Amino acid sequence: MSEIKEIYLHNYTKPAFYIDSINLVFDLFEEYALVTSMMQIQKSDADEKHLRLDTIDLELISLYINDLKVDESRYIIEEESLTILNVPATFRIKIENKIYPQNNTELEGLYKSGSIFCTQNEPEGFRRITPYLDRPDVMSVFTTTVIADKDKYPILLSNGNKKEIVEVDENRQSVTWFDPHKKPSYLFALVAGDLGSVNDSYVTASGENVELNIYCDLGNESKCHHAMNSLKEAMLWDEQKYGREYDLEIYNIVAVDSFNMGAMENKGLNIFNSAYVLADTDTASDANFMGIQSVIAHEYFHNWTGNRITCRDWFQLTLKEGLTVFRDQCFSADLNSQEVQRIEDVKALRERQFVEDASPTSHPIQPKSYISMNNFYTATVYEKGAEVIRMIHTLLGEENYRRATDLYFESFDGQAVTTDDFLWAMQKAGNIDLSAFKNWYHQSGTPKLEVEESFSEGIYSLTLTQKIPNAVDGSEQKPFTIL
Ligand code: SER
Ligand code: ZN
Protein backbone atom coordinates (compact mmCIF):
# COMPACT_ATOMS: atom_id res chain seq x y z
CA MET A 1 0.00 0.00 0.00
CA SER A 2 1.26 3.44 -0.78
CA GLU A 3 1.04 5.96 2.05
CA ILE A 4 -2.04 8.18 2.27
CA LYS A 5 -1.25 11.65 0.95
CA GLU A 6 -3.42 14.76 1.19
CA ILE A 7 -3.32 17.00 -1.87
CA TYR A 8 -3.77 20.78 -1.46
CA LEU A 9 -5.03 23.36 -3.94
CA HIS A 10 -2.44 25.89 -2.72
CA ASN A 11 0.37 23.48 -3.74
CA TYR A 12 -0.62 23.56 -7.43
CA THR A 13 2.33 23.92 -9.80
CA LYS A 14 2.34 24.04 -13.59
CA PRO A 15 3.41 20.89 -15.45
CA ALA A 16 7.15 20.71 -16.10
CA PHE A 17 6.51 18.89 -19.40
CA TYR A 18 3.82 19.02 -22.09
CA ILE A 19 2.75 16.26 -24.45
CA ASP A 20 2.11 17.69 -27.93
CA SER A 21 0.72 14.48 -29.40
CA ILE A 22 0.14 10.87 -28.45
CA ASN A 23 -0.29 7.90 -30.75
CA LEU A 24 -1.76 4.87 -28.98
CA VAL A 25 -2.01 1.29 -30.22
CA PHE A 26 -4.09 -1.27 -28.31
CA ASP A 27 -3.74 -4.98 -29.13
CA LEU A 28 -6.65 -6.63 -27.30
CA PHE A 29 -6.53 -10.33 -26.39
CA GLU A 30 -8.62 -12.55 -24.13
CA GLU A 31 -6.07 -12.70 -21.29
CA TYR A 32 -4.32 -9.35 -21.58
CA ALA A 33 -3.83 -6.25 -23.74
CA LEU A 34 -0.66 -4.73 -25.14
CA VAL A 35 -0.48 -0.94 -25.14
CA THR A 36 2.03 1.07 -27.18
CA SER A 37 2.21 4.80 -26.57
CA MET A 38 4.28 7.12 -28.75
CA MET A 39 4.45 10.68 -27.48
CA GLN A 40 6.06 13.92 -28.56
CA ILE A 41 7.15 15.66 -25.36
CA GLN A 42 8.39 19.16 -24.58
CA LYS A 43 10.05 20.39 -21.42
CA SER A 44 8.47 23.60 -20.14
CA ASP A 45 10.57 23.97 -16.99
CA ALA A 46 14.23 24.01 -18.05
CA ASP A 47 15.37 23.15 -14.50
CA GLU A 48 13.49 19.86 -14.44
CA LYS A 49 15.91 17.06 -15.33
CA HIS A 50 13.69 14.01 -14.97
CA LEU A 51 10.34 13.09 -16.48
CA ARG A 52 8.02 11.51 -13.91
CA LEU A 53 4.99 9.81 -15.45
CA ASP A 54 1.93 8.57 -13.51
CA THR A 55 1.35 4.83 -13.70
CA ILE A 56 0.03 2.05 -11.45
CA ASP A 57 1.73 -1.35 -11.08
CA LEU A 58 3.48 -0.91 -14.42
CA GLU A 59 4.42 -4.02 -16.39
CA LEU A 60 6.88 -2.47 -18.81
CA ILE A 61 7.87 -4.28 -21.99
CA SER A 62 10.13 -1.68 -23.57
CA LEU A 63 11.06 1.98 -23.49
CA TYR A 64 12.60 4.07 -26.28
CA ILE A 65 13.60 7.71 -26.52
CA ASN A 66 14.15 9.09 -30.03
CA ASP A 67 14.14 5.49 -31.31
CA LEU A 68 16.93 4.39 -28.98
CA LYS A 69 16.25 1.75 -26.34
CA VAL A 70 16.55 3.28 -22.86
CA ASP A 71 18.91 1.38 -20.58
CA GLU A 72 17.49 0.12 -17.25
CA SER A 73 19.91 2.33 -15.36
CA ARG A 74 18.19 5.39 -16.84
CA TYR A 75 14.69 4.87 -15.46
CA ILE A 76 13.04 4.05 -12.13
CA ILE A 77 9.75 2.20 -11.75
CA GLU A 78 7.88 2.73 -8.49
CA GLU A 79 4.37 1.66 -7.45
CA GLU A 80 2.77 4.80 -8.93
CA SER A 81 5.41 6.29 -11.20
CA LEU A 82 7.87 5.77 -14.03
CA THR A 83 10.74 8.27 -13.84
CA ILE A 84 13.04 8.68 -16.80
CA LEU A 85 16.29 10.36 -15.84
CA ASN A 86 18.02 13.25 -17.62
CA VAL A 87 15.69 13.76 -20.55
CA PRO A 88 16.36 16.34 -23.31
CA ALA A 89 14.29 19.51 -23.97
CA THR A 90 12.17 17.90 -26.68
CA PHE A 91 11.97 14.23 -27.53
CA ARG A 92 9.89 11.29 -28.75
CA ILE A 93 9.16 8.52 -26.34
CA LYS A 94 7.77 5.07 -27.01
CA ILE A 95 6.46 2.94 -24.15
CA GLU A 96 5.14 -0.61 -24.52
CA ASN A 97 3.36 -2.19 -21.56
CA LYS A 98 0.98 -4.99 -20.69
CA ILE A 99 -2.34 -4.65 -18.84
CA TYR A 100 -5.09 -7.08 -17.79
CA PRO A 101 -8.53 -5.53 -18.53
CA GLN A 102 -10.25 -8.88 -17.85
CA ASN A 103 -8.98 -8.83 -14.23
CA ASN A 104 -9.58 -5.12 -13.66
CA THR A 105 -12.42 -4.84 -11.13
CA GLU A 106 -11.75 -1.17 -10.25
CA LEU A 107 -14.11 0.17 -12.99
CA GLU A 108 -11.25 2.58 -13.78
CA GLY A 109 -8.87 2.45 -16.71
CA LEU A 110 -9.60 -0.26 -19.34
CA TYR A 111 -11.87 -3.04 -18.09
CA LYS A 112 -14.49 -5.50 -19.25
CA SER A 113 -18.20 -4.98 -18.68
CA GLY A 114 -19.64 -8.39 -19.65
CA SER A 115 -18.15 -9.09 -23.08
CA ILE A 116 -17.45 -5.40 -23.86
CA PHE A 117 -14.07 -3.71 -23.37
CA CYS A 118 -14.63 -0.17 -22.11
CA THR A 119 -12.89 2.63 -20.21
CA GLN A 120 -13.51 5.09 -17.40
CA ASN A 121 -10.66 7.56 -16.92
CA GLU A 122 -12.09 10.45 -14.92
CA PRO A 123 -10.43 11.49 -12.75
CA GLU A 124 -7.26 9.35 -12.71
CA GLY A 125 -7.97 6.09 -14.56
CA PHE A 126 -5.70 6.69 -17.56
CA ARG A 127 -2.56 5.95 -15.52
CA ARG A 128 -3.87 2.36 -15.21
CA ILE A 129 -3.64 2.06 -19.02
CA THR A 130 -0.26 3.58 -19.83
CA PRO A 131 2.30 5.86 -18.11
CA TYR A 132 1.29 9.47 -18.69
CA LEU A 133 1.10 12.99 -17.24
CA ASP A 134 -2.36 12.10 -15.95
CA ARG A 135 -3.55 15.57 -14.96
CA PRO A 136 -6.20 17.69 -16.69
CA ASP A 137 -3.89 20.62 -17.54
CA VAL A 138 -1.82 18.42 -19.88
CA MET A 139 -3.85 18.46 -23.11
CA SER A 140 -2.76 16.54 -26.17
CA VAL A 141 -3.86 15.43 -29.65
CA PHE A 142 -4.75 11.72 -29.56
CA THR A 143 -4.55 9.15 -32.37
CA THR A 144 -5.77 5.70 -31.30
CA THR A 145 -5.58 2.35 -33.06
CA VAL A 146 -7.53 -0.58 -31.65
CA ILE A 147 -6.76 -4.11 -32.85
CA ALA A 148 -8.95 -7.08 -31.90
CA ASP A 149 -10.62 -10.29 -33.04
CA LYS A 150 -13.16 -9.26 -35.64
CA ASP A 151 -15.82 -11.84 -34.76
CA LYS A 152 -15.82 -11.17 -31.03
CA TYR A 153 -15.25 -7.40 -31.28
CA PRO A 154 -16.52 -6.14 -34.65
CA ILE A 155 -17.13 -2.64 -33.22
CA LEU A 156 -13.90 -0.82 -32.27
CA LEU A 157 -14.33 2.77 -31.05
CA SER A 158 -12.26 5.62 -29.68
CA ASN A 159 -12.38 9.43 -29.59
CA GLY A 160 -12.62 11.69 -32.61
CA ASN A 161 -13.15 10.85 -36.28
CA LYS A 162 -12.71 7.40 -37.81
CA LYS A 163 -9.61 7.37 -40.02
CA GLU A 164 -8.78 3.87 -41.16
CA ILE A 165 -9.92 0.24 -41.02
CA VAL A 166 -7.34 -2.45 -41.81
CA GLU A 167 -7.69 -6.25 -41.98
CA VAL A 168 -4.63 -7.27 -39.97
CA ASP A 169 -5.05 -10.97 -40.75
CA GLU A 170 -7.83 -13.53 -41.18
CA ASN A 171 -9.07 -13.02 -37.62
CA ARG A 172 -8.08 -9.54 -36.55
CA GLN A 173 -8.93 -6.04 -37.70
CA SER A 174 -7.57 -2.65 -36.74
CA VAL A 175 -9.45 0.64 -36.58
CA THR A 176 -7.71 4.01 -36.20
CA TRP A 177 -9.35 7.12 -34.71
CA PHE A 178 -8.01 10.67 -34.78
CA ASP A 179 -9.22 13.39 -32.43
CA PRO A 180 -8.06 16.80 -33.68
CA HIS A 181 -9.09 18.56 -30.44
CA LYS A 182 -6.51 18.70 -27.66
CA LYS A 183 -7.80 16.98 -24.57
CA PRO A 184 -6.69 15.76 -21.17
CA SER A 185 -6.27 12.02 -20.57
CA TYR A 186 -9.41 11.75 -18.41
CA LEU A 187 -11.45 12.22 -21.63
CA PHE A 188 -9.78 9.33 -23.44
CA ALA A 189 -12.10 6.41 -24.24
CA LEU A 190 -12.02 3.05 -25.97
CA VAL A 191 -14.79 0.52 -26.59
CA ALA A 192 -14.57 -2.90 -28.27
CA GLY A 193 -17.45 -5.33 -28.56
CA ASP A 194 -20.15 -7.04 -30.53
CA LEU A 195 -22.77 -4.35 -30.23
CA GLY A 196 -26.11 -3.43 -31.71
CA SER A 197 -26.78 0.19 -32.63
CA VAL A 198 -29.25 2.80 -33.74
CA ASN A 199 -27.96 5.37 -36.21
CA ASP A 200 -29.09 8.83 -37.14
CA SER A 201 -27.60 12.16 -38.17
CA TYR A 202 -27.73 15.84 -37.31
CA VAL A 203 -26.93 18.91 -39.38
CA THR A 204 -25.34 21.67 -37.32
CA ALA A 205 -26.34 25.34 -37.62
CA SER A 206 -23.36 25.92 -39.92
CA GLY A 207 -24.34 22.97 -42.13
CA GLU A 208 -21.92 20.25 -40.99
CA ASN A 209 -23.34 16.74 -41.05
CA VAL A 210 -22.74 14.70 -37.88
CA GLU A 211 -23.19 10.92 -37.76
CA LEU A 212 -24.94 9.88 -34.53
CA ASN A 213 -24.71 6.34 -33.16
CA ILE A 214 -25.94 4.76 -29.95
CA TYR A 215 -24.46 1.31 -29.22
CA CYS A 216 -25.99 -1.24 -26.85
CA ASP A 217 -26.18 -4.99 -26.20
CA LEU A 218 -27.60 -6.82 -29.23
CA GLY A 219 -31.40 -6.97 -28.93
CA ASN A 220 -31.75 -3.69 -27.02
CA GLU A 221 -31.71 -1.42 -30.10
CA SER A 222 -35.41 -0.57 -29.91
CA LYS A 223 -34.85 0.88 -26.43
CA CYS A 224 -32.37 3.51 -27.70
CA HIS A 225 -34.74 5.77 -29.63
CA HIS A 226 -35.63 8.08 -26.76
CA ALA A 227 -31.92 8.60 -26.01
CA MET A 228 -31.31 9.40 -29.70
CA ASN A 229 -34.14 11.98 -29.76
CA SER A 230 -32.81 13.51 -26.56
CA LEU A 231 -29.34 13.84 -28.12
CA LYS A 232 -30.72 15.74 -31.11
CA GLU A 233 -32.79 17.98 -28.82
CA ALA A 234 -29.67 18.74 -26.76
CA MET A 235 -27.60 19.57 -29.87
CA LEU A 236 -30.22 22.04 -31.07
CA TRP A 237 -30.74 23.61 -27.63
CA ASP A 238 -27.01 24.28 -27.17
CA GLU A 239 -26.88 26.01 -30.56
CA GLN A 240 -29.89 28.17 -29.76
CA LYS A 241 -29.21 28.98 -26.10
CA TYR A 242 -25.41 29.18 -25.98
CA GLY A 243 -24.36 29.41 -29.65
CA ARG A 244 -22.36 26.17 -29.28
CA GLU A 245 -22.10 23.70 -32.15
CA TYR A 246 -20.71 20.17 -32.22
CA ASP A 247 -17.21 19.87 -33.65
CA LEU A 248 -16.53 16.32 -34.95
CA GLU A 249 -17.88 14.15 -37.78
CA ILE A 250 -19.23 11.51 -35.38
CA TYR A 251 -20.90 11.42 -31.97
CA ASN A 252 -20.97 7.97 -30.39
CA ILE A 253 -22.72 6.84 -27.22
CA VAL A 254 -22.22 3.36 -25.74
CA ALA A 255 -24.42 1.81 -23.03
CA VAL A 256 -22.67 -0.63 -20.69
CA ASP A 257 -24.00 -2.48 -17.63
CA SER A 258 -21.01 -2.08 -15.29
CA PHE A 259 -20.35 1.61 -14.78
CA ASN A 260 -19.69 3.45 -11.54
CA MET A 261 -21.03 6.86 -12.58
CA GLY A 262 -24.21 7.81 -14.42
CA ALA A 263 -22.27 8.48 -17.59
CA MET A 264 -19.04 9.97 -18.90
CA GLU A 265 -18.48 12.75 -21.42
CA ASN A 266 -15.38 11.32 -23.22
CA LYS A 267 -14.74 13.39 -26.34
CA GLY A 268 -16.94 12.06 -29.18
CA LEU A 269 -17.46 8.75 -27.34
CA ASN A 270 -19.73 9.01 -24.31
CA ILE A 271 -19.97 5.89 -22.18
CA PHE A 272 -23.19 5.43 -20.22
CA ASN A 273 -24.59 3.24 -17.53
CA SER A 274 -27.32 1.48 -19.54
CA ALA A 275 -29.91 2.74 -17.01
CA TYR A 276 -29.48 6.19 -18.62
CA VAL A 277 -29.91 5.04 -22.22
CA LEU A 278 -32.37 2.16 -22.47
CA ALA A 279 -36.11 2.73 -22.13
CA ASP A 280 -39.36 1.61 -23.66
CA THR A 281 -42.95 2.48 -22.86
CA ASP A 282 -43.66 -1.03 -21.51
CA THR A 283 -41.19 -0.89 -18.65
CA ALA A 284 -39.95 2.69 -18.14
CA SER A 285 -41.67 5.37 -16.05
CA ASP A 286 -41.97 9.08 -16.93
CA ALA A 287 -39.13 9.71 -14.45
CA ASN A 288 -36.92 7.20 -16.34
CA PHE A 289 -37.59 8.99 -19.63
CA MET A 290 -36.80 12.38 -18.13
CA GLY A 291 -33.67 11.02 -16.43
CA ILE A 292 -32.37 9.77 -19.80
CA GLN A 293 -33.16 13.08 -21.52
CA SER A 294 -31.29 14.99 -18.84
CA VAL A 295 -28.18 12.74 -18.61
CA ILE A 296 -27.83 12.50 -22.41
CA ALA A 297 -27.98 16.32 -22.52
CA HIS A 298 -25.60 16.70 -19.57
CA GLU A 299 -22.89 14.63 -21.27
CA TYR A 300 -23.47 16.39 -24.60
CA PHE A 301 -23.22 19.85 -22.98
CA HIS A 302 -19.85 18.87 -21.48
CA ASN A 303 -18.42 19.01 -25.01
CA TRP A 304 -18.07 22.77 -24.49
CA THR A 305 -18.25 23.07 -20.71
CA GLY A 306 -15.69 20.45 -19.71
CA ASN A 307 -14.00 19.16 -22.85
CA ARG A 308 -13.06 22.17 -25.01
CA ILE A 309 -12.64 24.21 -21.85
CA THR A 310 -11.52 21.89 -19.09
CA CYS A 311 -10.35 22.09 -15.45
CA ARG A 312 -6.81 23.14 -14.59
CA ASP A 313 -6.81 20.71 -11.65
CA TRP A 314 -9.43 18.60 -9.84
CA PHE A 315 -10.15 21.34 -7.29
CA GLN A 316 -11.88 23.09 -10.19
CA LEU A 317 -14.35 20.23 -10.75
CA THR A 318 -17.38 22.49 -10.17
CA LEU A 319 -16.18 24.68 -13.07
CA LYS A 320 -17.40 21.98 -15.44
CA GLU A 321 -19.94 20.14 -13.27
CA GLY A 322 -21.82 23.02 -11.59
CA LEU A 323 -22.09 24.80 -14.93
CA THR A 324 -23.12 21.67 -16.85
CA VAL A 325 -25.75 20.67 -14.27
CA PHE A 326 -27.17 24.22 -14.49
CA ARG A 327 -27.24 23.86 -18.29
CA ASP A 328 -28.99 20.47 -18.18
CA GLN A 329 -31.54 21.74 -15.62
CA CYS A 330 -32.42 24.69 -17.91
CA PHE A 331 -32.63 22.34 -20.91
CA SER A 332 -35.07 20.01 -19.10
CA ALA A 333 -37.09 23.01 -17.91
CA ASP A 334 -37.32 24.39 -21.47
CA LEU A 335 -38.37 21.04 -22.95
CA ASN A 336 -40.82 20.05 -20.22
CA SER A 337 -42.23 22.21 -17.42
CA GLN A 338 -40.26 25.09 -15.86
CA GLU A 339 -42.20 24.80 -12.60
CA VAL A 340 -42.06 21.03 -12.20
CA GLN A 341 -38.34 21.01 -13.06
CA ARG A 342 -37.55 23.66 -10.45
CA ILE A 343 -39.56 21.87 -7.78
CA GLU A 344 -37.74 18.59 -8.55
CA ASP A 345 -34.29 20.25 -8.54
CA VAL A 346 -34.90 22.02 -5.23
CA LYS A 347 -36.34 18.84 -3.71
CA ALA A 348 -33.21 16.91 -4.73
CA LEU A 349 -30.99 19.70 -3.37
CA ARG A 350 -32.73 19.67 0.01
CA GLU A 351 -32.77 15.89 0.26
CA ARG A 352 -29.16 15.25 -0.76
CA GLN A 353 -27.05 18.41 -0.70
CA PHE A 354 -28.47 20.07 2.44
CA VAL A 355 -27.95 16.79 4.29
CA GLU A 356 -24.35 16.55 3.07
CA ASP A 357 -23.72 20.20 3.99
CA ALA A 358 -24.99 19.64 7.55
CA SER A 359 -22.74 16.61 8.04
CA PRO A 360 -19.05 16.14 8.98
CA THR A 361 -18.29 15.78 5.24
CA SER A 362 -19.56 19.30 4.49
CA HIS A 363 -17.19 21.01 2.02
CA PRO A 364 -17.11 24.08 -0.26
CA ILE A 365 -18.02 23.60 -3.93
CA GLN A 366 -14.30 24.19 -4.49
CA PRO A 367 -12.57 22.04 -1.85
CA LYS A 368 -9.16 23.05 -0.51
CA SER A 369 -7.72 19.55 -0.20
CA TYR A 370 -8.48 15.90 -0.91
CA ILE A 371 -7.05 12.47 -0.25
CA SER A 372 -8.96 10.63 -2.98
CA MET A 373 -10.51 12.74 -5.73
CA ASN A 374 -13.02 9.93 -6.30
CA ASN A 375 -14.75 11.03 -3.08
CA PHE A 376 -15.39 14.53 -4.39
CA TYR A 377 -18.00 13.76 -7.02
CA THR A 378 -20.59 15.06 -4.59
CA ALA A 379 -24.01 16.71 -4.48
CA THR A 380 -22.20 19.83 -3.25
CA VAL A 381 -19.81 20.11 -6.21
CA TYR A 382 -22.58 19.23 -8.71
CA GLU A 383 -25.95 20.46 -7.40
CA LYS A 384 -24.89 23.28 -5.08
CA GLY A 385 -22.39 24.24 -7.80
CA ALA A 386 -25.34 24.53 -10.22
CA GLU A 387 -27.24 26.76 -7.75
CA VAL A 388 -24.21 29.07 -7.57
CA ILE A 389 -24.22 29.38 -11.38
CA ARG A 390 -27.99 29.95 -11.25
CA MET A 391 -27.41 32.91 -8.86
CA ILE A 392 -24.84 34.36 -11.29
CA HIS A 393 -27.41 33.97 -14.08
CA THR A 394 -29.98 35.81 -11.94
CA LEU A 395 -27.51 38.58 -11.03
CA LEU A 396 -26.48 39.18 -14.64
CA GLY A 397 -29.83 38.61 -16.33
CA GLU A 398 -30.33 36.48 -19.46
CA GLU A 399 -28.70 38.88 -21.94
CA ASN A 400 -25.58 39.69 -19.96
CA TYR A 401 -25.21 36.05 -18.95
CA ARG A 402 -25.14 35.06 -22.62
CA ARG A 403 -22.58 37.79 -23.36
CA ALA A 404 -20.51 36.50 -20.44
CA THR A 405 -20.63 32.84 -21.51
CA ASP A 406 -19.68 33.93 -25.07
CA LEU A 407 -16.66 35.73 -23.59
CA TYR A 408 -15.80 32.65 -21.50
CA PHE A 409 -15.86 30.39 -24.60
CA GLU A 410 -13.89 32.88 -26.74
CA SER A 411 -11.26 33.51 -24.08
CA PHE A 412 -10.56 29.99 -22.86
CA ASP A 413 -11.35 27.59 -25.73
CA GLY A 414 -8.74 24.80 -25.81
CA GLN A 415 -7.47 25.59 -22.31
CA ALA A 416 -7.52 24.11 -18.81
CA VAL A 417 -8.75 26.87 -16.49
CA THR A 418 -10.02 27.76 -13.01
CA THR A 419 -13.28 28.93 -11.47
CA ASP A 420 -11.63 32.38 -11.15
CA ASP A 421 -11.24 32.47 -14.95
CA PHE A 422 -14.97 31.72 -15.29
CA LEU A 423 -15.86 34.43 -12.77
CA TRP A 424 -13.56 36.88 -14.60
CA ALA A 425 -15.68 36.43 -17.77
CA MET A 426 -18.92 36.77 -15.79
CA GLN A 427 -17.69 40.00 -14.13
CA LYS A 428 -16.29 41.54 -17.27
CA ALA A 429 -19.20 40.93 -19.65
CA GLY A 430 -21.76 41.23 -16.87
CA ASN A 431 -20.25 44.53 -15.71
CA ILE A 432 -20.59 43.48 -12.09
CA ASP A 433 -18.30 42.99 -9.08
CA LEU A 434 -18.42 39.39 -7.89
CA SER A 435 -15.65 39.59 -5.27
CA ALA A 436 -18.04 39.15 -2.32
CA PHE A 437 -19.97 36.48 -4.25
CA LYS A 438 -16.80 34.33 -4.39
CA ASN A 439 -17.40 33.18 -0.80
CA TRP A 440 -19.77 30.61 -2.28
CA TYR A 441 -16.76 28.85 -3.80
CA HIS A 442 -14.66 28.67 -0.65
CA GLN A 443 -17.11 28.28 2.24
CA SER A 444 -19.27 25.35 3.26
CA GLY A 445 -22.63 24.85 4.97
CA THR A 446 -26.18 26.01 4.29
CA PRO A 447 -26.85 29.58 5.47
CA LYS A 448 -30.20 30.17 7.20
CA LEU A 449 -32.37 33.22 6.69
CA GLU A 450 -34.41 34.61 9.56
CA VAL A 451 -37.39 36.67 8.46
CA GLU A 452 -39.05 39.21 10.78
CA GLU A 453 -42.15 41.17 9.87
CA SER A 454 -43.59 44.17 11.67
CA PHE A 455 -46.30 46.72 10.99
CA SER A 456 -46.57 49.90 12.95
CA GLU A 457 -47.71 53.44 12.26
CA GLY A 458 -48.51 52.57 8.65
CA ILE A 459 -45.04 51.17 7.91
CA TYR A 460 -44.50 47.56 7.06
CA SER A 461 -40.95 46.33 7.79
CA LEU A 462 -39.35 43.13 6.68
CA THR A 463 -36.00 42.25 8.29
CA LEU A 464 -33.88 39.44 6.85
CA THR A 465 -30.96 38.15 8.90
CA GLN A 466 -28.39 35.72 7.59
CA LYS A 467 -27.15 33.00 9.97
CA ILE A 468 -23.89 31.61 8.71
CA PRO A 469 -22.80 28.18 9.93
CA ASN A 470 -19.23 27.66 11.08
CA ALA A 471 -16.95 25.59 8.86
CA VAL A 472 -16.40 21.92 9.80
CA ASP A 473 -13.21 22.88 11.67
CA GLY A 474 -15.22 25.34 13.83
CA SER A 475 -13.90 28.50 12.18
CA GLU A 476 -16.26 31.42 11.51
CA GLN A 477 -17.32 32.16 7.93
CA LYS A 478 -18.19 35.36 6.09
CA PRO A 479 -21.69 36.35 4.93
CA PHE A 480 -22.94 35.08 1.55
CA THR A 481 -24.45 37.09 -1.29
CA ILE A 482 -27.97 35.62 -1.39
CA LEU A 483 -30.42 35.95 -4.26
N1 SER B 1 -18.00 13.59 -15.44
C1 SER B 1 -19.08 12.66 -15.39
C2 SER B 1 -20.39 13.40 -15.43
O1 SER B 1 -20.50 14.43 -14.90
C3 SER B 1 -19.03 11.77 -14.21
O2 SER B 1 -19.46 12.35 -13.05
O3 SER B 1 -21.32 12.97 -16.02
ZN1 ZN C 1 -20.88 16.08 -15.56
Side-chain angles (χ1 to χ4, degrees), residues 265 298-299 302 320-321 324 382:
E265 69 262 23
H298 179 97
E299 305 312 328
H302 268 312
K320 74 176 179 82
E321 295 304 345
T324 305
Y382 277 63

Side-chain angles (χ1 to χ4, degrees), residues 450-464:
E450 255 176 33
V451 181
E452 271 175 64
E453 283 181 298
S454 65
F455 190 76
S456 75
E457 294 169 21
I459 298 172
Y460 172 76
S461 308
L462 187 68
T463 311
L464 302 174

